[in-house]
Amino acid sequence: MIKKLSTLGLLAFAVMGCQTQGKVAGNTGKSPNATVQASKNSNGLKSYNEVITSQAVTDDGLFNTHRVGDKLYFEIPLDLMEKDMLLVSRIAQVPSGFGGGYVNAGSKVNEQVVRWSRRGDNVDLKVISFENESDEDSPIYQSVLVNNFFPILYSAKIAAYNSDSTAVVAEVNSLFENDIEAINGVSSSLKKRYKVKKLDSNRSYIESVRSFPKNIEVKHVMTYEAEEPPERGQAGTISLMMNQSMVLLPDDKMQPRIADYRVGWFTTKKFDYDSEELKSDDYEIIRRWRLEPTDVEAYKRGELVEPVKPIVYYLDPGTPEKWRPYFRQGIEDWNVAFEAAGFKNAIIAKDPPSKEEDPDFSPEDVRYSVVRYVASTTRNATGPSVTDPRTGEIIESDIIWYHNHLRSYRNRYMIEAGAQNPSARTLNTPEEEIGEMMRMVIAHEIGHALGLPHNMKASAAYPTDSLRSASFTQEYGLTPSIMDYARVNYVAQPEDEGVRFIRMMGPYDLYAINWGYRYIPEAKSAREEKATLDKWIAEKAGDPVYEFGGGYDGVDPQSQRESLGDDQVMASEYGLANLKKVVPNLIEWTSKDGYGYDELAEVYRELTGMWRGYISHVIANVGGVYETRKTSDQEGAIYSPVPEEMQKKAVAFLNNHAFTSPEWLLERDLLDRIESSGAIERVQALQTNSLNNLLNEKRLQRMITNEQVNGRDVYTAVELMKDLRTGIFKELYAGQRTDAYRRNLQRSFVDAASSYVRKVNGAEDDRILKSDVIALMRGEMERLKRDISQRKSRVNDPLTQYHWNDLIARIDQGLRMDL
């Protein structure tokens, strides 16, 4: 049988294995241990007891670790040399404001396969790649080997051998106390941002080390000298605690499953050089847990069968008792999806064991997956996992729930459901409802840990008006997938009784889990599974409930975070109608006798942000392109422009709601309690950002391309600019005075158009010089200048006339080529 190997296996053997073999066994016929002993004596290494003294603090596990004073020693068994291990680097503790607040404790900074290798009197830690692969009997295999040489991450002298010469002892302090880029938490961009000088070795040290049967955990503090640390008062330094996990990967490799971009999965990329194609065959495998039925024959008959090894999540001992039932439900909600894949009791939630039940239980032990409850002001939850890159097998996962994420959902519920749902009109959200929200957050994060990415397209499968229906939402939820960002039903109106306000799992989730986890016993390789997997996709083709879209390129308006329904304009109109009812009540809903208005300010600020989100949902339709993922055997186009009428509808919404003075948002009673000034600047920022988003060069280029390719019946860039000009400058054309908000918006319009023309000067990108967008903007400014010149005297308001004159000056400046 031809054995399929990545470049890892034989390269490590060819480069290091022969040396190791020679050192251990040589050609003398002696036993390996005898040769090791001879080597030890000839090199004058210290005895084990001289290095690992009676003062050593030892922890037994995958390999023994020893702390002797300030020194850390790894005692690495020889039978673990050349074994695949996964080195996962995470930030365990982070300073305030680090990374702009977007880098949290628990953030993964790197994940790489490593191998310990013995090289004479040294041990090397090599970084191994599994991207490039070939059959070992293939002629090209040797080329793959020599063109994928693996780097040495770290090397240390062997200090001693253990008593029976089955393990080497090496001091590894410098691995954790030096600035090794592959495992540190301060990226090169952050070093530049904070003007980091160097790592301070006097303030960098190993905090702790734990050894478990399948993993080693080391925590170490890294302190950098920095001229501009993220927060003042940090003594000119940045200190953070790193956690390095070294996990032994299984010898018995799981059969991979080849990914298909039509079904959303986290993936690992591969390059197969044995392909018959006239190139390397690049493909991806999905990341998933190893689930195999205990009774294959019963599974084949269609019976639900328990897996050999179920997925088990333990709750963190620090999880408050009242939240534990919701966490357990969120975990085990996925059993419905696994039943669709033929498994019962596939995922199990357990309370943390007591000391009596399991005195060695630790969340850091890779044998246990844990939902960790973190006492932190961070408002987030994450679902990371540890994956074997050779096969895509998920080895372990720790879900992280940060305590203050409760605050996020409390606020969102008030803002988006307060108009419709009386129980949302308080900062003390009823336990049953906040518990249901927590349950669905945990379910969402478990989905990530099972291998599923966000599916932002899911929500567009449901008609927007259906989200106002009690019967529809109670049965189908807000979206076909819990992996969408669609957290609260802001479409429902106050008169819609009995609707569901909180998301839940849906049919896409069952479909995706079945596609990724159903056991296919007749397939003996990943390639042999493909026909079956393709058949399952074909059965659902054309049904939007089963479509996937990541939503990260900003092109498809149906793939957006927090968007609800298939009509984003209608959804935003409903959302705005609710916000207008919420704002006048915020003082009452957030106030507490004896306290200030900090909560009011926070909720109001977040409400403004959600309004900005509704606007962006609408903008995405202008110049937008729908994406329906297909393969070449499926009929029809993958990309199709948003229809002309929908684009016009979106621009009309923007002119009527986004680019008018938002009097409803400027509740005087409210603002007088939270700020002395800032309302004008806040509205200006919101409108300017929205306008710049709408006039994005890529968006305009898509519209120009669409006109060129499709001809008639398209919404053109010229029409967009005309509709915007007549909307944003409607006071000019109606002979009316302008208020401060509108003046700011009109200046922003001229500035945005001028910025394109300025790109002509000194442009290094030839694409910009040849772009129709510059001609479009120049023509719009010239037209606007003529209109202002002809109409500016029609209104008897000095400030408005000054404003029109100022705009003419700005346009003249923007059009000049000598700037």
Side-chain angles (χ1 to χ4, degrees):
M1 180 179 70
I2 295 177
K3 185 178 180 183
K4 188 77 166 182
L5 292 178
S6 73
T7 53
L8 162 65
L10 288 186
L11 179 59
F13 177 80
V15 175
M16 298 306 302
C18 292
Q19 292 183 11
T20 302
Q21 204 170 39
K23 289 286 187 182
V24 175
N27 297 313
T28 64
K30 296 180 181 179
S31 70
N33 286 348
T35 306
V36 167
Q37 187 68 38
S39 174
K40 175 175 66 174
N41 293 337
S42 64
N43 287 307
L45 299 179
K46 292 182 178 180
S47 70
Y48 184 81
N49 290 336
E50 286 181 287
V51 178
I52 309 303
T53 66
S54 58
Q55 283 74 42
V57 178
T58 298
D59 196 14
D60 300 340
L62 177 64
F63 46 79
N64 296 345
T65 63
H66 310 278
R67 305 271 323 250
V68 184
D70 292 334
K71 293 185 177 181
L72 171 62
Y73 293 93
F74 281 176
E75 183 177 327
I76 308 169
L78 295 180
D79 62 9
L80 287 181
M81 294 292 177
E82 310 300 343
K83 292 288 187 180
D84 298 338
M85 298 183 184
L86 194 65
L87 179 58
V88 184
S89 304
R90 296 188 183 93
I91 299 176
Q93 295 184 33
V94 64
S96 175
F98 186 71
Y102 293 100
V103 179
N104 299 314
S107 297
K108 185 191 300 182
V109 297
N110 204 356
E111 185 175 287
Q112 52 200 324
V113 177
V114 296
R115 278 184 173 178
W116 290 100
S117 300
R118 186 161 65 88
R119 176 174 51 88
D121 293 328
N122 296 272
V123 285
D124 296 333
L125 187 63
K126 303 181 74 174
V127 178
I128 311 300
S129 170
F130 288 90
E131 277 193 345
N132 303 303
E133 59 185 15
S134 174
D135 287 325
E136 60 177 315
D137 295 330
S138 170
I140 202 174
Y141 180 71
Q142 293 301 320
S143 179
V144 173
L145 283 179
V146 299
N147 286 287
N148 291 276
F149 190 75
F150 299 128
I152 297 173
L153 175 69
Y154 175 75
S155 186
K157 285 287 185 182
I158 296 174
Y161 289 82
N162 67 348
S163 58
D164 62 359
S165 297
T166 59
V168 300
V169 177
E171 182 197 334
V172 293
N173 285 63
S174 56
L175 174 60
F176 305 106
E177 294 175 351
N178 287 347
D179 189 14
I180 297 177
E181 186 173 352
I183 65 172
N184 73 32
V186 185
S187 65
S188 56
S189 61
L190 287 177
K191 285 181 179 178
K192 183 177 181 181
R193 176 176 175 179
Y194 298 132
K195 296 185 178 179
V196 170
K197 298 177 182 176
K198 65 177 181 176
L199 184 76
D200 185 344
S201 59
N202 292 325
R203 289 179 282 185
S204 300
Y205 55 90
I206 296 169
E207 173 72 16
S208 65
V209 59
R210 296 286 306 276
S211 187
F212 301 98
K214 292 185 178 181
N215 63 299
I216 306 293
E217 301 291 320
V218 178
K219 290 184 178 179
H220 58 110
V221 173
M222 304 183 77
T223 299
Y224 294 88
E225 295 180 8
E227 292 183 9
E228 297 181 6
E231 293 286 338
R232 293 180 179 179
Q234 289 182 345
T237 62
I238 299 172
S239 291
L240 65 160
M241 183 180 290
M242 296 297 300
N243 186 98
Q244 308 294 343
S245 302
M246 193 170 294
V247 181
L248 181 66
L249 295 175
D251 288 330
D252 177 24
K253 297 178 184 177
M254 180 186 75
Q255 180 170 294
R257 179 156 292 179
I258 297 173
D260 190 305
Y261 88 136
R262 294 171 292 179
V263 188
W265 284 86
F266 291 128
T267 62
T268 298
K269 194 157 191 174
K270 300 283 186 179
F271 295 90
D272 185 356
Y273 284 88
D274 290 327
S275 171
E276 293 298 324
E277 302 290 333
L278 301 179
K279 64 179 182 62
S280 62
D281 186 5
D282 53 314
Y283 66 99
E284 296 177 349
I285 58 174
I286 68 172
R287 301 183 183 188
R288 58 178 182 151
W289 297 79
R290 185 188 302 215
L291 287 188
E292 298 166 340
T294 52
D295 186 337
V296 175
E297 294 305 315
Y299 189 88
K300 287 181 179 179
R301 293 193 298 269
E303 299 175 26
L304 290 180
V305 176
E306 292 189 348
V308 173
K309 184 180 179 182
I311 304 165
V312 179
Y313 277 94
Y314 289 87
L315 299 190
D316 190 315
T319 307
E321 291 284 349
K322 71 175 181 177
W323 301 133
R324 293 187 181 188
Y326 302 106
F327 279 29
R328 285 193 293 267
Q329 286 177 320
I331 296 166
E332 295 188 346
D333 278 344
W334 283 97
N335 273 319
V336 176
F338 281 112
E339 287 174 6
F343 293 101
K344 67 179 179 181
N345 302 322
I347 186 166
I348 300 169
K350 291 186 177 182
D351 285 330
S354 65
K355 288 292 184 183
E356 294 72 26
E357 293 170 327
D358 187 350
D360 296 325
F361 175 83
S362 170
E364 293 181 339
D365 190 333
V366 77
R367 294 175 299 168
Y368 304 110
S369 293
V370 180
V371 178
R372 300 196 184 204
Y373 197 101
V374 180
S376 167
T377 58
T378 299
R379 294 167 60 174
N380 197 13
T382 62
S385 59
V386 174
T387 305
D388 183 346
R390 304 171 305 176
T391 63
E393 179 183 358
I394 297 174
I395 305 297
E396 178 268 352
S397 162
D398 284 339
I399 307 301
I400 302 175
W401 170 277
Y402 297 97
H403 178 75
N404 260 24
H405 208 30
L406 288 164
R407 189 173 192 164
S408 300
Y409 280 84
R410 176 202 72 174
N411 292 357
R412 179 175 286 275
Y413 199 48
M414 174 182 287
I415 293 166
E416 295 195 309
Q420 315 95 294
N421 187 358
S423 64
R425 299 166 188 169
T426 174
L427 292 176
N428 296 311
T429 312
E431 180 181 323
E432 181 178 350
E433 290 169 77
I434 196 71
E436 177 71 1
M437 288 182 240
M438 294 176 75
R439 170 186 176 182
M440 294 307 160
V441 175
I442 294 299
H444 177 94
E445 302 305 336
I446 289 287
H448 285 320
L450 295 176
L452 302 181
H454 292 130
N455 182 6
M456 301 303 188
K457 194 176 184 68
S459 56
Y462 291 166
T464 301
D465 269 337
S466 293
L467 301 179
R468 299 185 60 185
S469 164
S471 59
F472 183 92
T473 55
Q474 294 298 343
E475 181 174 359
Y476 299 108
L478 313 186
T479 167
S481 178
I482 192 71
M483 304 314 297
D484 199 349
Y485 271 3
R487 288 174 264 213
V488 176
N489 186 352
Y490 60 80
V491 167
Q493 298 298 291
E495 61 269 24
D496 302 331
E497 298 181 0
V499 296
R500 182 176 177 87
F501 289 101
I502 302 167
R503 61 180 169 172
M504 66 183 196
M505 292 182 65
Y508 174 85
D509 302 314
L510 278 61
Y511 162 70
I513 290 295
N514 176 73
W515 190 92
Y517 279 96
R518 179 165 285 277
Y519 188 67
I520 307 176
E522 61 273 15
K524 303 307 179 185
S525 70
R527 295 290 181 188
E528 289 183 16
E529 292 184 336
K530 192 172 188 315
T532 300
L533 298 173
D534 288 348
K535 177 175 175 288
W536 293 342
I537 296 174
E539 290 171 352
K540 305 295 185 184
D543 188 338
V545 167
Y546 302 103
E547 289 185 8
F548 172 76
Y552 291 104
D553 61 4
V555 173
D556 186 350
Q558 294 183 335
S559 293
Q560 300 189 76
R561 39 192 303 154
E562 307 298 350
S563 175
L564 291 178
D566 62 349
D567 186 329
Q568 297 76 40
V569 180
M570 180 187 296
S572 291
E573 286 175 340
Y574 283 136
L576 172 59
N578 287 329
L579 293 186
K580 289 181 176 180
K581 295 180 177 67
V582 168
V583 170
N585 292 287
L586 283 182
I587 297 174
E588 177 187 349
W589 295 350
T590 61
S591 296
K592 184 177 179 181
D593 290 348
Y595 291 84
Y597 293 103
D598 289 347
E599 301 273 24
L600 172 64
E602 176 180 296
V603 173
Y604 179 79
R605 182 175 62 250
E606 292 182 23
L607 182 147
T608 303
M610 290 179 195
W611 170 226
R612 182 183 297 113
Y614 296 169
I615 294 173
S616 69
H617 293 164
V618 174
I619 290 174
N621 285 275
V622 183
V625 178
Y626 297 144
E627 179 193 45
T628 303
R629 299 188 174 197
K630 297 179 180 180
T631 51
S632 57
D633 56 309
Q634 294 176 281
E635 294 183 358
I638 294 175
Y639 301 103
S640 58
V642 173
E644 177 184 14
E645 287 308 312
M646 176 58 79
Q647 295 195 52
K648 288 182 177 179
K649 179 179 172 182
V651 174
F653 173 92
L654 296 171
N655 274 329
N656 291 333
H657 300 297
F659 298 146
T660 57
S661 301
E663 301 295 342
W664 63 273
L665 191 59
L666 307 172
E667 186 81 17
R668 189 74 266 158
D669 234 15
L670 185 156
L671 294 177
D672 284 345
R673 285 168 168 78
I674 63 173
E675 62 186 15
S676 58
S677 63
I680 292 178
E681 293 78 5
R682 186 184 307 108
V683 172
Q684 180 184 17
L686 186 153
Q687 293 184 331
T688 299
N689 289 339
S690 299
L691 183 62
N692 289 337
N693 183 5
L694 182 61
L695 297 181
N696 176 272
E697 182 181 357
K698 290 183 179 179
R699 187 185 314 281
L700 297 173
Q701 288 285 22
R702 287 197 300 271
M703 298 181 75
I704 292 169
T705 300
N706 185 32
E707 180 182 3
Q708 183 67 34
V709 172
N710 293 304
R712 297 179 179 179
D713 300 325
V714 299
Y715 188 54
T716 67
V718 171
E719 288 178 292
L720 167 64
M721 297 307 297
K722 177 184 176 183
D723 290 343
L724 275 181
R725 175 168 39 79
T726 56
I728 290 175
F729 292 90
K730 65 181 181 181
E731 294 89 350
L732 173 69
Y733 296 106
Q736 299 172 345
R737 64 178 296 276
T738 60
D739 62 26
Y741 301 104
R742 296 286 290 175
R743 292 194 296 270
N744 278 333
L745 176 63
Q746 290 158 2
R747 282 189 284 266
S748 294
F749 180 90
V750 171
D751 291 345
S754 297
S755 69
Y756 279 106
V757 179
R758 291 193 190 101
K759 291 179 181 179
V760 173
N761 299 307
E764 298 178 1
D765 187 349
D766 193 51
R767 178 188 56 81
I768 294 177
L769 290 174
K770 296 179 179 179
S771 170
D772 282 331
V773 175
I774 293 177
L776 175 70
M777 293 302 175
R778 188 189 301 276
E780 278 301 312
M781 285 198 294
E782 290 172 346
R783 172 62 186 269
L784 181 59
K785 178 183 176 181
R786 288 196 303 270
D787 288 349
I788 294 175
S789 299
Q790 293 170 2
R791 299 168 181 269
K792 64 179 182 177
S793 61
R794 295 184 182 182
V795 59
N796 186 23
D797 178 66
L799 192 52
T800 298
Q801 290 190 2
Y802 296 156
H803 171 63
W804 297 140
N805 288 332
D806 175 65
L807 288 186
I808 291 174
R810 287 171 182 259
I811 292 171
D812 286 340
Q813 186 181 40
L815 289 173
R816 283 204 300 269
M817 294 293 295
D818 58 346
L819 295 178

